[in-house]
Short mmCIF file of all heavy atoms in Angstrom, two decimals:
data_model
loop_
_atom_site.label_atom_id
_atom_site.label_comp_id
_atom_site.label_asym_id
_atom_site.label_seq_id
_atom_site.Cartn_x
_atom_site.Cartn_y
_atom_site.Cartn_z
N VAL A 4 -53.26 -42.78 247.02
CA VAL A 4 -53.84 -42.56 245.70
C VAL A 4 -53.74 -43.86 244.90
O VAL A 4 -52.67 -44.48 244.85
CB VAL A 4 -53.09 -41.44 244.96
CG1 VAL A 4 -53.69 -41.21 243.59
CG2 VAL A 4 -53.13 -40.15 245.79
N THR A 9 -53.66 -50.65 235.49
CA THR A 9 -52.21 -50.49 235.59
C THR A 9 -51.60 -50.31 234.21
O THR A 9 -50.71 -49.47 234.02
CB THR A 9 -51.58 -51.72 236.26
OG1 THR A 9 -52.23 -51.92 237.52
CG2 THR A 9 -50.10 -51.52 236.47
N HIS A 10 -52.03 -51.13 233.28
CA HIS A 10 -51.56 -51.08 231.91
C HIS A 10 -52.77 -51.11 230.97
O HIS A 10 -53.81 -51.68 231.31
CB HIS A 10 -50.67 -52.27 231.57
CG HIS A 10 -49.41 -52.34 232.35
ND1 HIS A 10 -49.31 -52.98 233.56
CD2 HIS A 10 -48.17 -51.84 232.08
CE1 HIS A 10 -48.07 -52.87 234.01
NE2 HIS A 10 -47.37 -52.19 233.15
N SER A 33 -54.99 -33.80 240.29
CA SER A 33 -54.25 -33.31 239.12
C SER A 33 -53.82 -34.50 238.29
O SER A 33 -53.48 -35.56 238.82
CB SER A 33 -53.02 -32.52 239.57
OG SER A 33 -53.37 -31.46 240.42
N TYR A 35 -51.18 -35.81 235.14
CA TYR A 35 -49.94 -35.53 234.44
C TYR A 35 -49.68 -36.63 233.42
O TYR A 35 -49.99 -37.81 233.65
CB TYR A 35 -48.76 -35.47 235.41
CG TYR A 35 -48.82 -34.34 236.42
CD1 TYR A 35 -49.55 -34.47 237.60
CD2 TYR A 35 -48.17 -33.14 236.19
CE1 TYR A 35 -49.63 -33.42 238.51
CE2 TYR A 35 -48.23 -32.09 237.10
CZ TYR A 35 -48.97 -32.24 238.26
OH TYR A 35 -49.04 -31.21 239.15
N GLN A 37 -46.54 -38.47 231.46
CA GLN A 37 -45.09 -38.63 231.49
C GLN A 37 -44.67 -39.51 230.32
O GLN A 37 -44.81 -40.73 230.37
CB GLN A 37 -44.63 -39.23 232.82
CG GLN A 37 -43.11 -39.26 232.96
CD GLN A 37 -42.65 -39.81 234.30
OE1 GLN A 37 -43.41 -40.41 235.05
NE2 GLN A 37 -41.38 -39.61 234.61
N GLY A 40 -38.76 -41.24 229.34
CA GLY A 40 -37.54 -40.45 229.47
C GLY A 40 -37.74 -38.97 229.73
O GLY A 40 -36.78 -38.20 229.68
N GLN A 41 -38.96 -38.57 230.04
CA GLN A 41 -39.27 -37.16 230.27
C GLN A 41 -39.84 -36.95 231.67
O GLN A 41 -40.22 -37.91 232.34
CB GLN A 41 -40.29 -36.67 229.23
CG GLN A 41 -39.85 -36.80 227.79
CD GLN A 41 -38.67 -35.90 227.46
OE1 GLN A 41 -38.66 -34.73 227.84
NE2 GLN A 41 -37.68 -36.44 226.77
N GLY A 42 -39.92 -35.70 232.07
CA GLY A 42 -40.61 -35.37 233.31
C GLY A 42 -42.11 -35.28 233.05
O GLY A 42 -42.55 -35.10 231.91
N PRO A 43 -42.90 -35.41 234.09
CA PRO A 43 -44.36 -35.30 233.91
C PRO A 43 -44.77 -33.91 233.41
O PRO A 43 -44.17 -32.91 233.77
CB PRO A 43 -44.90 -35.54 235.33
CG PRO A 43 -43.81 -36.29 236.04
CD PRO A 43 -42.54 -35.76 235.47
N PHE A 45 -48.12 -31.35 233.08
CA PHE A 45 -49.44 -31.09 233.66
C PHE A 45 -50.51 -31.09 232.58
O PHE A 45 -50.40 -30.37 231.58
CB PHE A 45 -49.40 -29.74 234.38
CG PHE A 45 -50.71 -29.28 234.95
CD1 PHE A 45 -51.24 -29.88 236.08
CD2 PHE A 45 -51.41 -28.24 234.37
CE1 PHE A 45 -52.44 -29.44 236.63
CE2 PHE A 45 -52.60 -27.79 234.90
CZ PHE A 45 -53.12 -28.38 236.03
N GLN A 48 -56.32 -30.01 236.27
CA GLN A 48 -56.58 -30.22 237.70
C GLN A 48 -58.07 -30.05 237.96
O GLN A 48 -58.72 -29.19 237.34
CB GLN A 48 -55.79 -29.20 238.51
CG GLN A 48 -55.93 -29.30 240.02
CD GLN A 48 -55.12 -28.23 240.71
OE1 GLN A 48 -55.58 -27.13 240.97
NE2 GLN A 48 -53.86 -28.55 241.01
N ASN A 55 -59.90 -26.72 237.26
CA ASN A 55 -59.28 -25.61 238.00
C ASN A 55 -57.89 -25.28 237.49
O ASN A 55 -57.04 -24.86 238.22
CB ASN A 55 -59.21 -26.00 239.48
CG ASN A 55 -58.75 -24.88 240.36
OD1 ASN A 55 -59.21 -23.75 240.24
ND2 ASN A 55 -57.80 -25.17 241.24
N GLY A 56 -57.67 -25.51 236.21
CA GLY A 56 -56.36 -25.26 235.63
C GLY A 56 -56.11 -26.30 234.55
O GLY A 56 -56.46 -27.46 234.71
N ARG A 57 -55.50 -25.89 233.46
CA ARG A 57 -55.25 -26.80 232.34
C ARG A 57 -53.90 -26.49 231.72
O ARG A 57 -53.54 -25.31 231.56
CB ARG A 57 -56.36 -26.65 231.30
CG ARG A 57 -56.30 -27.69 230.20
CD ARG A 57 -57.46 -27.51 229.22
NE ARG A 57 -57.42 -28.57 228.21
CZ ARG A 57 -58.07 -29.72 228.31
NH1 ARG A 57 -58.83 -29.96 229.36
NH2 ARG A 57 -57.98 -30.64 227.37
N LEU A 88 -46.96 -42.73 230.45
CA LEU A 88 -47.43 -43.05 231.79
C LEU A 88 -48.29 -41.88 232.26
O LEU A 88 -47.86 -40.73 232.19
CB LEU A 88 -46.24 -43.23 232.74
CG LEU A 88 -46.54 -43.57 234.19
CD1 LEU A 88 -47.15 -44.97 234.30
CD2 LEU A 88 -45.27 -43.47 235.04
N LEU A 90 -50.11 -40.09 235.26
CA LEU A 90 -50.05 -40.00 236.71
C LEU A 90 -51.16 -39.12 237.24
O LEU A 90 -51.47 -38.07 236.68
CB LEU A 90 -48.71 -39.41 237.15
CG LEU A 90 -47.46 -40.21 236.80
CD1 LEU A 90 -46.21 -39.38 237.05
CD2 LEU A 90 -47.40 -41.49 237.61
N PRO A 96 -55.38 -28.14 248.83
CA PRO A 96 -54.81 -26.79 248.95
C PRO A 96 -55.21 -26.05 250.21
O PRO A 96 -54.50 -25.18 250.66
CB PRO A 96 -55.33 -26.07 247.71
CG PRO A 96 -55.62 -27.15 246.74
CD PRO A 96 -56.08 -28.30 247.56
N MET A 100 -49.48 -25.16 252.14
CA MET A 100 -48.83 -25.46 250.88
C MET A 100 -49.23 -26.84 250.41
O MET A 100 -49.26 -27.79 251.17
CB MET A 100 -47.32 -25.39 251.04
CG MET A 100 -46.58 -25.50 249.72
SD MET A 100 -44.81 -25.42 249.92
CE MET A 100 -44.49 -27.02 250.62
N SER A 101 -49.52 -26.92 249.13
CA SER A 101 -50.13 -28.14 248.63
C SER A 101 -49.09 -29.17 248.21
O SER A 101 -48.51 -29.05 247.15
CB SER A 101 -51.04 -27.82 247.46
OG SER A 101 -51.65 -28.99 246.97
N GLU A 102 -48.86 -30.15 249.02
CA GLU A 102 -48.05 -31.29 248.63
C GLU A 102 -48.93 -32.23 247.83
O GLU A 102 -50.05 -32.55 248.25
CB GLU A 102 -47.50 -32.02 249.85
CG GLU A 102 -46.73 -33.30 249.50
CD GLU A 102 -46.20 -34.01 250.72
OE1 GLU A 102 -46.17 -33.40 251.80
OE2 GLU A 102 -45.84 -35.19 250.59
N GLN A 103 -48.45 -32.65 246.69
CA GLN A 103 -49.22 -33.55 245.84
C GLN A 103 -48.74 -34.98 246.04
O GLN A 103 -47.54 -35.25 245.96
CB GLN A 103 -49.12 -33.12 244.38
CG GLN A 103 -49.74 -31.75 244.14
CD GLN A 103 -49.93 -31.40 242.69
OE1 GLN A 103 -49.77 -32.23 241.80
NE2 GLN A 103 -50.30 -30.15 242.44
N PHE A 105 -48.79 -38.76 244.69
CA PHE A 105 -48.98 -39.39 243.39
C PHE A 105 -49.42 -40.85 243.51
O PHE A 105 -49.03 -41.56 244.45
CB PHE A 105 -47.68 -39.33 242.59
CG PHE A 105 -47.41 -37.99 242.00
CD1 PHE A 105 -46.82 -36.98 242.75
CD2 PHE A 105 -47.75 -37.71 240.68
CE1 PHE A 105 -46.58 -35.73 242.20
CE2 PHE A 105 -47.52 -36.47 240.13
CZ PHE A 105 -46.94 -35.47 240.89
N GLY A 106 -50.20 -41.27 242.53
CA GLY A 106 -50.53 -42.68 242.38
C GLY A 106 -49.46 -43.39 241.58
O GLY A 106 -48.52 -42.77 241.10
N PRO A 107 -49.62 -44.71 241.42
CA PRO A 107 -48.60 -45.50 240.71
C PRO A 107 -48.63 -45.32 239.20
O PRO A 107 -47.69 -45.75 238.52
CB PRO A 107 -48.94 -46.93 241.11
CG PRO A 107 -50.41 -46.89 241.40
CD PRO A 107 -50.67 -45.54 241.98
N GLY A 108 -49.68 -44.72 238.66
CA GLY A 108 -49.74 -44.45 237.23
C GLY A 108 -50.43 -45.54 236.42
O GLY A 108 -50.59 -46.69 236.86
N ARG A 110 -49.96 -47.11 232.57
CA ARG A 110 -49.13 -47.11 231.36
C ARG A 110 -50.02 -47.36 230.16
O ARG A 110 -50.59 -48.42 230.02
CB ARG A 110 -48.06 -48.21 231.46
CG ARG A 110 -47.27 -48.44 230.18
CD ARG A 110 -46.29 -47.33 229.92
NE ARG A 110 -45.24 -47.27 230.91
CZ ARG A 110 -44.35 -46.27 230.98
NH1 ARG A 110 -44.42 -45.27 230.13
NH2 ARG A 110 -43.42 -46.30 231.90
N TYR B 33 -42.85 -22.37 245.26
CA TYR B 33 -42.34 -23.52 246.00
C TYR B 33 -41.50 -24.38 245.07
O TYR B 33 -41.76 -24.47 243.87
CB TYR B 33 -43.49 -24.36 246.56
CG TYR B 33 -44.50 -23.59 247.38
CD1 TYR B 33 -45.85 -23.59 247.06
CD2 TYR B 33 -44.10 -22.85 248.49
CE1 TYR B 33 -46.78 -22.89 247.79
CE2 TYR B 33 -45.02 -22.14 249.24
CZ TYR B 33 -46.36 -22.16 248.89
OH TYR B 33 -47.26 -21.46 249.62
N PHE B 35 -39.56 -28.33 244.74
CA PHE B 35 -39.64 -29.70 245.24
C PHE B 35 -38.60 -30.58 244.55
O PHE B 35 -38.22 -30.34 243.41
CB PHE B 35 -41.02 -30.32 244.93
CG PHE B 35 -42.20 -29.52 245.40
CD1 PHE B 35 -42.71 -28.50 244.63
CD2 PHE B 35 -42.82 -29.84 246.59
CE1 PHE B 35 -43.82 -27.77 245.05
CE2 PHE B 35 -43.93 -29.12 247.02
CZ PHE B 35 -44.43 -28.08 246.25
N TYR B 37 -38.65 -34.64 243.72
CA TYR B 37 -39.40 -35.89 243.76
C TYR B 37 -38.48 -37.02 243.32
O TYR B 37 -37.61 -36.85 242.47
CB TYR B 37 -40.61 -35.83 242.83
CG TYR B 37 -41.82 -35.14 243.39
CD1 TYR B 37 -42.00 -33.76 243.24
CD2 TYR B 37 -42.80 -35.87 244.06
CE1 TYR B 37 -43.13 -33.14 243.76
CE2 TYR B 37 -43.94 -35.24 244.58
CZ TYR B 37 -44.08 -33.88 244.42
OH TYR B 37 -45.21 -33.27 244.93
N GLN B 39 -38.53 -40.98 241.77
CA GLN B 39 -39.35 -41.97 241.07
C GLN B 39 -38.53 -43.24 240.89
O GLN B 39 -37.74 -43.35 239.95
CB GLN B 39 -39.84 -41.43 239.73
CG GLN B 39 -40.87 -42.34 239.06
CD GLN B 39 -41.41 -41.73 237.77
OE1 GLN B 39 -40.67 -41.14 236.99
NE2 GLN B 39 -42.71 -41.88 237.55
N SER B 42 -40.15 -48.74 240.31
CA SER B 42 -41.56 -49.12 240.52
C SER B 42 -42.50 -48.02 240.08
O SER B 42 -43.71 -48.20 240.09
CB SER B 42 -41.80 -49.44 242.00
OG SER B 42 -41.61 -48.27 242.79
N ARG B 43 -41.94 -46.84 239.77
CA ARG B 43 -42.55 -45.66 239.13
C ARG B 43 -43.43 -44.78 240.01
O ARG B 43 -43.88 -43.76 239.56
CB ARG B 43 -43.28 -46.03 237.85
CG ARG B 43 -44.67 -46.63 238.05
CD ARG B 43 -45.21 -47.16 236.76
NE ARG B 43 -46.53 -47.71 236.93
CZ ARG B 43 -47.04 -48.64 236.14
NH1 ARG B 43 -46.34 -49.11 235.13
NH2 ARG B 43 -48.24 -49.10 236.35
N GLN B 44 -43.72 -45.09 241.28
CA GLN B 44 -44.52 -44.21 242.11
C GLN B 44 -43.69 -43.01 242.53
O GLN B 44 -42.63 -43.15 243.15
CB GLN B 44 -45.05 -44.94 243.34
CG GLN B 44 -46.03 -44.11 244.14
CD GLN B 44 -47.27 -44.88 244.54
OE1 GLN B 44 -47.34 -46.09 244.42
NE2 GLN B 44 -48.26 -44.18 245.03
N MET B 45 -44.15 -41.82 242.22
CA MET B 45 -43.47 -40.58 242.52
C MET B 45 -43.61 -40.27 244.01
O MET B 45 -44.72 -40.25 244.54
CB MET B 45 -44.10 -39.45 241.69
CG MET B 45 -43.30 -38.18 241.59
SD MET B 45 -42.01 -38.27 240.36
CE MET B 45 -42.98 -38.15 238.87
N LEU B 47 -42.40 -37.58 247.20
CA LEU B 47 -41.78 -36.31 247.55
C LEU B 47 -40.58 -36.55 248.46
O LEU B 47 -40.67 -37.25 249.47
CB LEU B 47 -42.79 -35.42 248.26
CG LEU B 47 -42.26 -34.06 248.72
CD1 LEU B 47 -41.87 -33.20 247.51
CD2 LEU B 47 -43.28 -33.33 249.58
N ARG B 50 -39.00 -30.29 250.10
CA ARG B 50 -39.61 -29.10 249.51
C ARG B 50 -39.04 -27.85 250.17
O ARG B 50 -38.56 -27.89 251.30
CB ARG B 50 -41.11 -29.13 249.66
CG ARG B 50 -41.59 -29.11 251.10
CD ARG B 50 -43.07 -29.35 251.18
NE ARG B 50 -43.53 -29.49 252.55
CZ ARG B 50 -44.70 -30.02 252.91
NH1 ARG B 50 -45.52 -30.46 251.98
NH2 ARG B 50 -45.05 -30.10 254.17
N GLN B 51 -39.13 -26.75 249.43
CA GLN B 51 -38.58 -25.48 249.90
C GLN B 51 -39.54 -24.35 249.54
O GLN B 51 -39.97 -24.27 248.39
CB GLN B 51 -37.22 -25.22 249.23
CG GLN B 51 -36.59 -23.88 249.50
CD GLN B 51 -35.84 -23.83 250.82
OE1 GLN B 51 -35.17 -24.78 251.20
NE2 GLN B 51 -35.97 -22.72 251.53
N GLU B 52 -39.86 -23.53 250.50
CA GLU B 52 -40.65 -22.33 250.21
C GLU B 52 -39.69 -21.21 249.84
O GLU B 52 -38.71 -20.98 250.54
CB GLU B 52 -41.48 -21.92 251.44
CG GLU B 52 -42.54 -22.92 251.83
CD GLU B 52 -42.07 -23.90 252.89
OE1 GLU B 52 -40.89 -24.29 252.87
OE2 GLU B 52 -42.89 -24.28 253.75
N PHE B 91 -36.60 -35.85 240.10
CA PHE B 91 -37.17 -34.73 239.36
C PHE B 91 -37.23 -33.49 240.26
O PHE B 91 -37.71 -33.55 241.39
CB PHE B 91 -38.59 -35.06 238.89
CG PHE B 91 -38.63 -36.13 237.83
CD1 PHE B 91 -38.89 -37.44 238.17
CD2 PHE B 91 -38.44 -35.81 236.50
CE1 PHE B 91 -38.95 -38.43 237.22
CE2 PHE B 91 -38.49 -36.79 235.51
CZ PHE B 91 -38.74 -38.11 235.88
N MET B 95 -43.62 -24.84 241.64
CA MET B 95 -45.05 -24.54 241.72
C MET B 95 -45.26 -23.09 242.14
O MET B 95 -44.65 -22.64 243.13
CB MET B 95 -45.74 -25.45 242.72
CG MET B 95 -47.21 -25.12 242.95
SD MET B 95 -47.86 -25.89 244.45
CE MET B 95 -47.98 -27.59 243.90
N GLY B 100 -52.77 -20.37 237.05
CA GLY B 100 -53.43 -21.33 236.17
C GLY B 100 -54.73 -20.73 235.69
O GLY B 100 -55.09 -19.61 236.06
N SER B 101 -55.47 -21.45 234.91
CA SER B 101 -56.68 -20.90 234.35
C SER B 101 -57.78 -20.79 235.39
O SER B 101 -58.76 -20.11 235.19
CB SER B 101 -57.16 -21.75 233.17
OG SER B 101 -57.48 -23.06 233.62
N GLY B 102 -57.60 -21.46 236.51
CA GLY B 102 -58.58 -21.35 237.57
C GLY B 102 -57.93 -20.86 238.85
O GLY B 102 -56.76 -21.11 239.10
N ALA B 103 -58.67 -20.17 239.65
CA ALA B 103 -58.13 -19.68 240.92
C ALA B 103 -57.73 -20.85 241.80
O ALA B 103 -58.44 -21.85 241.87
CB ALA B 103 -59.18 -18.83 241.63
N GLY B 104 -56.61 -20.73 242.45
CA GLY B 104 -56.17 -21.79 243.36
C GLY B 104 -55.51 -22.94 242.68
O GLY B 104 -55.28 -23.97 243.29
N SER B 105 -55.17 -22.82 241.40
CA SER B 105 -54.51 -23.91 240.70
C SER B 105 -53.11 -24.12 241.27
O SER B 105 -52.39 -23.17 241.50
CB SER B 105 -54.42 -23.58 239.22
OG SER B 105 -53.69 -24.58 238.54
N TYR B 106 -52.76 -25.33 241.51
CA TYR B 106 -51.45 -25.70 242.06
C TYR B 106 -50.81 -26.71 241.13
O TYR B 106 -50.75 -27.89 241.42
CB TYR B 106 -51.61 -26.30 243.45
CG TYR B 106 -52.02 -25.30 244.51
CD1 TYR B 106 -53.33 -24.88 244.65
CD2 TYR B 106 -51.07 -24.79 245.39
CE1 TYR B 106 -53.69 -23.97 245.62
CE2 TYR B 106 -51.42 -23.89 246.37
CZ TYR B 106 -52.75 -23.49 246.47
OH TYR B 106 -53.10 -22.60 247.44
N GLN B 107 -50.31 -26.25 239.99
CA GLN B 107 -49.73 -27.17 239.03
C GLN B 107 -48.22 -27.21 239.18
O GLN B 107 -47.57 -26.20 239.37
CB GLN B 107 -50.12 -26.79 237.60
CG GLN B 107 -49.81 -25.37 237.24
CD GLN B 107 -50.31 -25.03 235.84
OE1 GLN B 107 -49.63 -25.28 234.86
NE2 GLN B 107 -51.50 -24.48 235.76
N LEU B 108 -47.69 -28.42 239.08
CA LEU B 108 -46.25 -28.63 239.15
C LEU B 108 -45.65 -28.58 237.76
O LEU B 108 -46.19 -29.17 236.82
CB LEU B 108 -45.95 -29.99 239.78
CG LEU B 108 -46.22 -30.13 241.28
CD1 LEU B 108 -46.27 -31.59 241.68
CD2 LEU B 108 -45.13 -29.41 242.07
N PHE B 110 -42.20 -29.76 235.99
CA PHE B 110 -41.09 -30.66 236.26
C PHE B 110 -39.94 -30.44 235.29
O PHE B 110 -40.14 -30.06 234.13
CB PHE B 110 -41.52 -32.12 236.13
CG PHE B 110 -42.40 -32.63 237.24
CD1 PHE B 110 -43.77 -32.46 237.20
CD2 PHE B 110 -41.84 -33.30 238.32
CE1 PHE B 110 -44.58 -32.95 238.22
CE2 PHE B 110 -42.63 -33.80 239.34
CZ PHE B 110 -44.00 -33.62 239.29
N GLY B 111 -38.72 -30.75 235.76
CA GLY B 111 -37.59 -30.89 234.86
C GLY B 111 -37.61 -32.27 234.21
O GLY B 111 -38.51 -33.07 234.48
N LYS B 112 -36.60 -32.55 233.38
CA LYS B 112 -36.57 -33.81 232.66
C LYS B 112 -36.02 -34.96 233.49
O LYS B 112 -36.08 -36.12 233.07
CB LYS B 112 -35.77 -33.66 231.37
CG LYS B 112 -36.44 -32.80 230.34
CD LYS B 112 -35.70 -32.82 229.01
CE LYS B 112 -36.47 -32.04 227.95
NZ LYS B 112 -35.79 -32.09 226.62
N GLY B 113 -35.45 -34.63 234.63
CA GLY B 113 -35.02 -35.68 235.53
C GLY B 113 -33.55 -36.01 235.44
O GLY B 113 -32.90 -35.77 234.42
#
Side-chain angles (χ1 to χ4, degrees):
Chain A
V4 180
T9 306
H10 297 89
S33 303
Y35 296 84
Q37 187 178 14
Q41 301 294 315
F45 176 73
Q48 182 181 89
N55 187 46
R57 188 178 183 93
L88 180 67
L90 297 169
M100 188 180 73
S101 181
E102 175 180 345
Q103 296 192 9
F105 283 83
R110 172 73 66 189
Chain B
Y33 307 123
F35 306 84
Y37 279 89
Q39 189 176 40
S42 65
R43 80 189 181 205
Q44 187 134 12
M45 196 81 74
L47 179 65
R50 63 188 174 197
Q51 174 83 40
E52 295 94 324
F91 292 97
M95 175 196 286
S101 63
S105 175
Y106 289 80
Q107 54 184 275
L108 289 163
F110 287 86
K112 291 187 175 182

